[in-house]
Amino acid sequence: MAYGSNLHAARLACYLHGGRPNGGAHAYPGCRNRSPARRAVATALPGTLYFAGRSLTWGGGSAFYDPSVPGGAPCRAYLLTGGQFSDIAAQEMRRSPGTDLDLTRVLAEGRAELGPGRYETLLHVGELDGHPLLTFTAPGGVAGAALNAPSAAYLRTLGAGLAESHAWGPWRTAGYLATRPGADGHWTPGAVAALLG
């Protein structure tokens, strides 16, 4: 389940095939299996998107998901192999891809913490057509996060993903992104809409 920049298929392709995302500063090695996702479905999860920490790729805060906060987060479910999910997670965790994750615990308990860092907490957030919906986020949630505003380049990628996956226009997207924790107070809907054109 993608809730941040991977809402945009071209961004996800950098994790699958390798490469540097448009506007990003970091290149990714890609997955062992570079096949495209077999399916992509727009959906939503209860909870919220927030921005925290500092992204090496984008500068500014990274997007994280907290299921415990009231609200809703637009997402995109990609049908991937277990190996592809493992390799994407490794790249998000700033590790080298190539090792399959043991998903037993997250599938049984709904949550598995692989470490204390960014994107090292796996979540099982539901099922879709008989397939488990898995995502990764930070362990502490928004309450314990060092909130940080996202960069303009990151917001453009998030906006492109929301337009592509959910057919949101710039003002709806801007109203959503500018009011997420970390962005709120640093970005206005008008400023984000101007970025998105």
Side-chain angles (χ1 to χ4, degrees):
M1 286 287 286
Y3 54 82
S5 61
N6 289 325
L7 285 163
H8 194 217
R11 168 63 177 115
L12 181 74
C14 293
Y15 283 129
L16 288 170
H17 310 301
R20 184 176 60 85
N22 186 28
H26 181 73
Y28 294 89
C31 293
R32 291 165 287 172
N33 177 350
R34 296 178 182 239
S35 301
R38 288 180 281 165
R39 188 177 172 204
V41 178
T43 185
L45 290 174
T48 195
L49 173 83
Y50 67 95
F51 297 99
R54 180 158 184 83
S55 170
L56 296 179
T57 299
W58 306 103
S62 296
F64 297 98
Y65 168 66
D66 187 339
S68 70
V69 176
C75 300
R76 195 174 201 180
Y78 292 100
L79 184 55
L80 303 167
T81 68
Q84 286 176 314
F85 177 80
S86 297
D87 286 351
I88 291 168
Q91 292 171 85
E92 287 275 26
M93 295 176 195
R94 300 179 181 156
R95 300 176 183 171
S96 297
T99 302
D100 286 347
L101 294 172
D102 181 353
L103 302 176
T104 306
R105 183 173 176 196
V106 68
L107 291 172
E109 300 177 15
R111 182 182 180 98
E113 292 189 10
L114 306 181
R118 46 177 263 134
Y119 302 120
E120 292 187 354
T121 297
L122 304 180
L123 300 176
H124 181 198
V125 294
E127 304 280 331
L128 181 64
D129 297 335
H131 300 287
L133 295 172
L134 299 174
T135 194
F136 30 80
T137 189
V142 69
L147 297 178
N148 190 22
S151 68
Y154 196 40
L155 288 173
R156 282 190 199 98
T157 300
L158 287 157
L162 287 165
E164 179 183 274
S165 62
H166 289 262
W168 283 13
W171 278 103
R172 183 175 182 184
T173 299
Y176 171 71
L177 293 174
T179 56
R180 299 306 89 196
D184 188 23
H186 298 275
W187 287 97
T188 64
V192 176
L195 278 179
L196 304 178

